[in-house]
Amino acid sequence: MKFDSIKSRLVLMTLVCVIGMGVLVVSQHYFTQQLIGLHQQRDVLLRMGQDLLQMRRHEKDFLLRHETVYYDKFLERSYEFKGRLTTLVPLFNEYRLPVADVESLSSSMEAYSGTFRQVVSLQERIGLTQNDGLRARITELENTLNEGQLTQGSQASELLTNIQLATRNYQINQEGVHARQMMTLSERLVAENGGTALLNGTLVQYREALLQLVDAFTTYGVTHNEGLRGEFRQSAHNVETQLRGVDAALQPMIEQQEAKVRIYSLSIAALTSVVLILVLIKSFATFHRAFVNFLTFFYRCKRQYQMIDTRKLGFAELKSLAELANEMVESKRDIEARLASVEAELANKKAS
């Protein structure tokens, strides 16, 4: 198809506009979908952060109130966290991001959940309430000793009372001084009052229960930075740090996609505009040159029978007009020639 007519030039400009807008719309749709996917994954990361905050909240509620309902809520949130985490793996594979970050985050989450599970199990062993676990066992043995012959001696009764007081204080604040006091006094109580086999067996069981209580609290962690409490607290910090790392790895991809959208959009718009402007300039120049040639032709046609050169006209429509104009000039020249011949003949006849 030769673009040597006004119609073809208009068709060309229309095609340039349609193709440019089509490519722009397609590229915008493609990159917008990419951005939507990335922002959805970013939203997943935000929700994972919320899940982690809720897990820390349930963790602290359990440590404060010792109610298993908070552990159940913790597990529910951890399952949601892991489910959302699995959706990040395909994205990281697609954009060639370090999948090891996601795997490391998953491992840290497993460690955090597993350590907290151990904390809950140990707390259940100690006793969620005074009527559970070692607490209930110690209370039961104390009641047995208080009801037996041990209370008949004032010194033994005073020792037992001091042990009970130290035990209560230790359960409240887990201070080492109370643990040492419990062990020293219980050892003395066993040594001084183990006369009968029945009483000796009860005292030994009581001392063993106290030892188990101290051992459980030591394993549990006397402070929040020690034992299992410190371990799962550190695991929670690791999860938070790695979650921020995953988010930091995803953020450059979002910025890169946004930059691509801007670059491709501006490039396509600029290319379309340049092509369209060039076509318009070329068409305007051709039309202006053809129009000037037509004006010159009409001015010259008034004085002399000069033909218009159709090769100087750019558009096919103007060339067709030029051919008609040339035919009109030829016809006028023939008419005037015949008219001059007829006038000459009439003049000759009149003269004769």
Side-chain angles (χ1 to χ4, degrees):
M1 180 179 181
K2 295 182 179 181
F3 297 99
D4 58 350
S5 65
I6 297 176
K7 178 182 177 180
S8 61
R9 293 291 177 91
L10 291 176
V11 171
L12 176 61
M13 287 187 285
T14 303
L15 286 176
V16 170
C17 292
V18 171
I19 293 174
M21 291 301 297
V23 173
L24 183 61
V25 169
V26 171
S27 64
Q28 285 280 18
H29 176 74
Y30 172 76
F31 288 110
T32 300
Q33 292 299 318
Q34 296 290 321
L35 276 177
I36 290 174
L38 289 172
H39 281 293
Q40 286 176 345
Q41 297 302 323
R42 185 72 182 279
D43 184 63
V44 169
L45 285 175
L46 293 176
R47 291 180 180 275
M48 289 169 63
Q50 294 173 359
D51 290 336
L52 184 59
L53 289 176
Q54 288 297 322
M55 291 166 67
R56 297 302 307 272
R57 176 184 175 184
H58 297 324
E59 158 206 319
K60 290 176 173 55
D61 286 337
F62 175 82
L63 295 177
L64 180 63
R65 298 179 175 85
H66 297 159
E67 296 179 7
T68 55
V69 62
Y70 296 111
Y71 178 59
D72 295 335
K73 292 180 179 180
F74 176 92
L75 289 179
E76 182 181 351
R77 284 286 182 174
S78 68
Y79 294 147
E80 293 179 0
F81 184 95
K82 294 173 185 176
R84 292 190 174 103
L85 184 60
T86 55
T87 63
L88 294 178
V89 176
L91 176 72
F92 274 57
N93 286 328
E94 179 181 355
Y95 290 98
R96 297 180 180 178
L97 296 174
V99 183
D101 291 348
V102 179
E103 295 174 349
S104 178
L105 177 59
S106 178
S107 299
S108 297
M109 190 64 203
E110 288 291 342
Y112 176 43
S113 301
T115 308
F116 187 59
R117 190 179 300 111
Q118 296 178 29
V119 170
V120 174
S121 299
L122 188 58
Q123 184 61 55
E124 290 175 342
R125 180 188 172 197
I126 294 172
L128 298 176
T129 66
Q130 291 295 334
N131 298 321
D132 298 322
L134 287 173
R135 291 179 176 180
R137 177 62 175 163
I138 291 173
T139 301
E140 179 184 353
L141 292 170
E142 287 174 348
N143 293 334
T144 301
L145 292 173
N146 283 324
E147 294 172 356
Q149 60 181 355
L150 185 66
T151 56
Q152 295 177 1
S154 59
Q155 186 175 3
S157 178
E158 183 179 355
L159 276 176
L160 182 59
T161 301
N162 290 334
I163 294 172
Q164 290 175 326
L165 180 60
T167 302
R168 301 299 182 272
N169 289 333
Y170 182 68
Q171 293 183 42
I172 294 173
N173 50 38
Q174 290 91 45
E175 292 183 358
V177 62
H178 299 301
R180 290 190 294 271
Q181 186 179 8
M182 287 165 49
M183 295 301 98
T184 302
L185 295 177
S186 62
E187 183 179 4
R188 179 182 170 187
L189 183 65
V190 172
E192 294 179 357
N193 299 276
T196 64
L198 179 61
L199 181 58
N200 184 61
T202 304
L203 288 174
V204 170
Q205 292 178 20
Y206 182 51
R207 178 173 169 74
E208 288 179 353
L210 293 178
L211 287 172
Q212 292 176 11
L213 181 67
V214 173
D215 182 67
F217 271 116
T218 302
T219 305
Y220 182 77
V222 176
T223 66
H224 62 274
N225 290 323
E226 298 177 359
L228 282 175
R229 291 171 61 189
E231 186 177 341
F232 85 78
R233 187 169 179 268
Q234 183 60 44
S235 298
H237 290 325
N238 291 339
V239 173
E240 291 175 351
T241 301
Q242 291 171 357
L243 187 61
R244 286 195 294 268
V246 172
D247 182 65
L250 187 61
Q251 182 60 30
M253 294 305 304
I254 297 177
E255 295 175 354
Q256 182 179 352
Q257 289 298 318
E258 291 175 346
K260 280 186 178 180
V261 171
R262 289 192 295 269
I263 292 173
Y264 277 89
S265 299
L266 292 175
S267 299
I268 294 171
L271 180 62
T272 303
S273 300
V274 168
V275 173
L276 186 60
I277 290 172
L278 290 177
V279 173
L280 286 173
I281 292 174
K282 176 65 176 176
S283 300
F284 175 78
T286 303
F287 182 80
H288 182 266
R289 184 171 61 252
F291 185 73
V292 170
N293 288 333
F294 258 103
L295 288 179
T296 304
F297 162 73
F298 284 115
Y299 280 122
R300 291 177 177 176
C301 189
K302 291 170 61 178
R303 302 177 179 85
Q304 54 186 337
Y305 299 106
Q306 184 175 355
M307 301 290 185
I308 186 171
D309 188 358
T310 57
R311 294 175 298 178
K312 295 182 179 180
L313 302 177
F315 294 114
E317 291 86 351
L318 296 179
K319 290 180 180 179
S320 298
L321 291 175
E323 290 174 355
L324 293 174
N326 289 336
E327 291 177 1
M328 180 186 69
V329 171
E330 289 288 346
S331 176
K332 181 181 178 183
R333 179 187 297 172
D334 292 341
I335 292 172
E336 289 182 352
R338 289 196 298 271
L339 181 60
S341 175
V342 170
E343 288 178 349
E345 291 178 0
L346 289 176
N348 290 333
K349 290 180 179 181
K350 288 180 181 181
S352 62

